[in-house]
Amino acid sequence: MDLNAQETIAKALTDLQNPSSTLFAILSTALASTLLVFIISKIVKTGNGKKLPPGSLGLPLIGETLQFLSAYRSHKSKDWVKKRVAKYGPVFKTSLMGSPTVIVTGQAGNRFLFHNDGHRILNKQPKNFTRIFGESGIGELAGEEHKRIRGAIMQFMKPEALQKFVGRIESVIQQHFADCWEGKDIITVMPLMKKLTFQVACDLFFSLSDSAERETLANEFNTAVKGIWSVPLDLPGTAFRKAFEARSRVSQRLSLLLDVRRKEIEQGKASPRQDLMSCLLTMKDENDKPLTEEEILDIVVVVMIAGHDTTYNLLTHLVRGLALNPDIYQNILQEQTLVLEGKQPNEPLTWEDLRKMKYTWKVAQETLRLFPPIFGGFRKANEDVEYQGYTIPKGWQLFWETSSTHWNEEIFKEPHKFDPSHFDTQVSRYVFTPFGGGPRICPGYDFAKIETMIFLHHLVTKWKWTLVDPNEKIMCDPTPTPVMGLPINLQAKGK
């Protein structure tokens, strides 16, 4: 394929990644014709006569990636899956991100993938994910190496370790409200939630207080994350190329911070437990082996994305959901008022206070059910795998997804309704999967929970608000995002 042809395809794919594009049908047809003329190097494995799941592998080379990404960005992924389940059944084949893929749905599919992690099925991600999260990132590791790196992360991220940071998180949140909410009649929520959650993450993970450096890092992270759900074409101008270049710049900046922190610890100017970076620098395994710099950088990138993108998505939709459901707002307010009983004015929240916020967390769980920050996740068959009478050939991708359980009316009565009572009883870990499941459940889960409850406490006890546009559309970029950023009319209580 000559350079001009590559550039033509790159431009078409870049246009298709624009959520506002109205040329999908025309461009996809043109792209298919171009690829059929210039097809190169990759022939999809057919399974060598084995009984494959039903479905379509789509166009040569690109499969159904364009249709999937179009549905994903318009927040219609569940419709994309539902249509194929209706046609093929709960397990079907397609081709995504350059590889033949089997999508498994429902509780059975989640159980199958979450507990087949290791030898038969690997947590191998598409090129997009690997280039952003890192070759030595936790998502690429298996067996003892995965346990070692996950153990290093959880030394800092487990609830008993995070308890001592409640006051620190609350201080950042209180300052955010003072700087960005007070005295305002209208604010746009989503960019403020991005700013807040990134600031909290920077504070806890590497004690970064320089606002200019923090803003630069935030911009680089945002560019990198947008490349995760993009067509994996490494050509100038594509979202994939921009994301990889941004990830390289993130690594360079974090490496400089790492050098500074290492010297501060050696000189006794920093505590080995003051933040995640310090903890990772001083950690050793049972063989007295420290983490490498590459491992530390990849861990920090993964945890920043897990602890920032998931949380700002949740907080944004909580603000939206409470505005649309004033009865639920009142229920949260009642619970938070009880939390304040017996406390002095401006007395900080404690770990015990957070443990009392049971209804508040149900509201957050319901928000995550309706607007999960991730739609699903990839695995890869390390050998031929049998599932429900079908053979998934070695080397094929597998994909689990949230919608077939989150929106299942047999599991959640009236699944389209925002109803925290869906979580009055314990929900199976194979049903509620906004953070994944099994041994690879997101390590930032408890961190997100703590930050969310502190934020909601200060939000409902100090503010009232209404939506500027109650019908604002939701797109995915890459998490579910109100297209205008969720502008709200704001009123401080007592005024």
Side-chain angles (χ1 to χ4, degrees), residues 304-470:
M304 280 294 294
I305 293 173
H308 163 243
D309 276 66
T310 57
T311 312
Y312 92 71
N313 172 78
L314 171 57
L315 299 187
T316 299
H317 286 285
L318 277 166
V319 173
R320 178 178 178 272
L322 294 181
L324 292 172
N325 298 274
D327 55 328
I328 295 175
Y329 169 92
Q330 288 298 330
N331 291 340
I332 288 187
L333 178 59
Q334 182 179 2
E335 181 173 79
Q336 295 302 332
T337 302
L338 290 174
V339 169
L340 290 174
E341 284 188 356
K343 296 178 75 71
Q344 296 297 316
N346 300 318
E347 182 180 341
L349 292 171
T350 65
W351 180 252
E352 288 305 312
D353 292 330
L354 301 187
R355 288 168 59 88
K356 298 174 184 176
M357 301 179 187
K358 299 186 184 304
Y359 179 81
T360 300
W361 183 240
K362 288 179 187 176
V363 174
Q365 288 177 298
E366 178 68 351
T367 304
L368 286 166
R369 181 185 72 83
L370 293 170
F371 299 99
I374 58 170
F375 177 67
F378 288 94
R379 300 290 193 269
K380 192 168 189 177
N382 196 37
E383 58 186 48
D384 284 0
V385 177
E386 300 298 319
Y387 179 66
Q388 294 194 359
Y390 300 110
T391 297
I392 302 169
K394 177 181 179 180
W396 279 38
Q397 290 183 149
L398 298 103
F399 187 80
W400 62 269
E401 53 79 46
T402 58
S403 67
S404 58
T405 55
H406 283 205
W407 291 80
N408 189 325
E409 61 186 11
E410 295 180 5
I411 300 171
F412 296 105
K413 185 179 179 181
E414 297 182 284
H416 292 81
K417 184 179 179 182
F418 189 96
D419 184 3
S421 70
H422 285 141
F423 293 89
D424 282 349
T425 57
Q426 187 171 358
V427 176
S428 166
R429 61 179 180 264
Y430 305 118
V431 164
F432 182 58
T433 58
F435 294 97
R440 292 185 180 273
I441 191 168
C442 175
Y445 175 85
D446 290 299
F447 170 68
K449 182 176 181 179
I450 291 169
E451 186 176 359
T452 297
M453 290 192 293
I454 295 173
F455 172 82
L456 281 175
H457 171 82
H458 288 281
L459 176 70
V460 301
T461 57
K462 296 175 183 176
W463 305 96
K464 295 184 290 186
W465 65 96
T466 58
L467 301 180
V468 170
D469 180 4

Side-chain angles (χ1 to χ4, degrees), residues 84-337:
R84 284 156 178 78
V85 168
K87 185 174 182 179
Y88 302 120
V91 51
F92 60 91
K93 70 175 180 287
T94 180
S95 180
L96 301 175
M97 310 300 184
S99 296
T101 303
V102 172
I103 295 183
V104 297
T105 64
Q107 296 184 65
N110 291 342
R111 184 183 292 108
F112 170 68
L113 286 188
F114 292 164
H115 290 285
N116 262 299
D117 188 33
H119 177 67
R120 296 172 66 226
I121 298 175
L122 303 178
N123 195 56
K124 191 70 177 175
Q125 303 298 313
K127 183 164 61 172
N128 305 42
F129 292 69
T130 304
R131 295 284 288 270
I132 304 305
F133 289 119
E135 295 287 346
S136 60
I138 189 172
E140 290 298 302
L141 303 177
E144 291 304 313
E145 275 299 288
H146 174 259
K147 290 181 181 178
R148 182 174 74 91
I149 297 300
R150 186 176 180 86
I153 295 173
M154 295 311 295
Q155 283 294 312
F156 186 84
M157 299 292 279
K158 59 188 177 184
E160 51 267 41
L162 290 169
Q163 289 183 32
K164 63 183 179 180
F165 294 111
V166 169
R168 193 160 148 185
I169 295 172
E170 185 179 23
S171 294
V172 175
I173 290 174
Q174 287 177 303
Q175 191 60 52
H176 165 82
F177 278 118
D179 293 342
C180 302
W181 292 55
E182 287 185 5
K184 306 290 196 310
D185 296 322
I186 297 179
I187 62 169
T188 303
V189 174
M190 190 195 69
L192 291 182
M193 295 304 94
K194 278 190 174 185
K195 181 178 180 180
L196 169 62
T197 56
F198 197 81
Q199 184 172 350
V200 172
C202 283
D203 183 76
L204 255 66
F205 298 160
F206 35 88
S207 302
L208 181 62
S209 58
D210 186 309
S211 58
E213 177 65 12
R214 194 168 58 233
E215 184 175 351
T216 299
L217 262 180
N219 291 334
E220 299 288 18
F221 265 104
N222 287 336
T223 302
V225 168
K226 286 183 178 182
I228 293 175
W229 293 103
S230 66
V231 178
L233 193 65
D234 193 4
L235 290 172
T238 60
F240 179 75
R241 170 69 68 84
K242 291 176 182 177
F244 176 60
E245 291 171 347
R247 170 56 164 93
S248 297
R249 293 190 293 270
V250 165
S251 293
Q252 292 168 9
R253 290 182 175 278
L254 291 180
S255 182
L256 294 175
L257 290 173
L258 202 63
D259 289 340
V260 171
R261 183 55 43 78
R262 187 181 289 110
K263 291 175 183 176
E264 288 175 343
I265 292 173
E266 291 171 354
Q267 296 168 2
K269 296 179 180 179
S271 164
R273 292 294 180 266
Q274 77 176 41
D275 53 34
L276 176 64
M277 185 174 278
S278 300
C279 187
L280 295 175
L281 274 169
T282 55
M283 193 173 292
K284 295 183 180 180
D285 64 16
E286 63 273 13
N287 298 316
D288 206 37
K289 176 185 175 184
L291 295 170
T292 67
E293 178 164 326
E294 182 182 8
E295 288 173 334
I296 292 174
L297 292 177
D298 286 348
I299 288 173
V300 172
V301 168
V302 168
V303 174
M304 280 294 294
I305 293 173
H308 163 243
D309 276 66
T310 57
T311 312
Y312 92 71
N313 172 78
L314 171 57
L315 299 187
T316 299
H317 286 285
L318 277 166
V319 173
R320 178 178 178 272
L322 294 181
L324 292 172
N325 298 274
D327 55 328
I328 295 175
Y329 169 92
Q330 288 298 330
N331 291 340
I332 288 187
L333 178 59
Q334 182 179 2
E335 181 173 79
Q336 295 302 332
T337 302

